[in-house]
Amino acid sequence: MVRIYSRSPEETHALGRWLGERLRPGDFVALTGDLGTGKTALSAGILAGLGVRRTGGSPTFTLLWEYEGRIPVFHWDVYRVEDPAELDDLGYEEYFFGGQGVNLVEWADRVRQLWPDEVLEIALSYGAGDRERVMAFTGSRRYRPLLEDLAHAGFGL
Ligand SMILES: Nc1ncnc2c1ncn2[C@@H]1O[C@H](COP(=O)(O)OP(=O)(O)O)[C@@H](O)[C@H]1O
Ligand SMILES: [Mg+2]
């Protein structure tokens, strides 16, 4: 596990960008943590690092925004999902297991049963003071080199 301390929204954005620059088709990034811990802020950085220029707009479904960066990006916010079966109707398997792009999932713990085997999980929490956030990165085998690089990348450890 690699634990990174962010001291500002800007640091969080920079961390996200660093990660987004390194993600590959088939990657699955699961963001967990309470409201306000910075999942959306980190996602914005990740999208920037993936080369997505315009965010927002209309979701494909109410839970999913699709973008074309340097590779396709599927940005989910499953906050309102009460039963993971709701994702069946959206054909989530095509996205999660299709290998076409990067899945970036906010509130991913709501659909933990649906996660693929290979996942990069980022658990966000509040740190000391208003602007500190703690981000605990854990990854399956696929993400080991990335986590090695992250530990040496110069973000707040
Ligand atoms: N170090 C930090 N990293 C990220 N956000 C921070 C940080 N410090 C303060 N904030 C603030 O916390 C809030 C995070 O909101 P958001 O990203 O929407 O959280 P979530 O998506 O997890 O609910 C924003 O208002 C942001 O300005
Ligand atoms: Mg959010």
Side-chain angles (χ1 to χ4, degrees), residues 12-13 28 30 34-35 40 68-69 78 86-87 98 101 115 118 128 145:
T12 295
H13 197 275
F28 189 98
D34 290 341
L35 196 69
T40 298
E68 272 304 322
V78 297
E86 291 169 40
L87 267 71
W115 291 11
E118 295 271 10

Side-chain angles (χ1 to χ4, degrees), residues 6-9 12 34-41 106 131 133:
S6 165
R7 271 98 190 177
S8 67
T12 295
D34 290 341
L35 196 69
T37 50
K39 297 178 296 299
T40 298
E106 296 193 44
R131 278 158 55 100
R133 300 289 186 276

Side-chain angles (χ1 to χ4, degrees), residues 52-123:
V52 174
R53 281 158 199 261
R54 285 178 30 174
T55 56
S58 312
T60 307
F61 307 110
T62 50
L63 316 172
L64 170 64
W65 286 257
E66 284 186 68
Y67 299 113
E68 272 304 322
R70 61 182 167 75
I71 52 179
V73 184
F74 312 120
H75 181 198
W76 304 78
D77 184 335
V78 297
Y79 179 61
R80 288 173 199 289
V81 172
E82 280 165 21
D83 180 349
E86 291 169 40
L87 267 71
D88 288 341
D89 304 333
L90 311 184
Y92 79 94
E93 287 173 305
E94 276 292 306
Y95 295 98
F96 282 17
F97 301 102
Q100 295 301 304
V102 170
N103 283 277
L104 174 63
V105 187
E106 296 193 44
W107 297 98
D109 45 327
R110 298 264 205 278
V111 297
R112 197 177 281 272
Q113 300 95 304
L114 308 182
W115 291 11
D117 291 337
E118 295 271 10
V119 172
L120 177 64
E121 179 172 0
I122 311 174

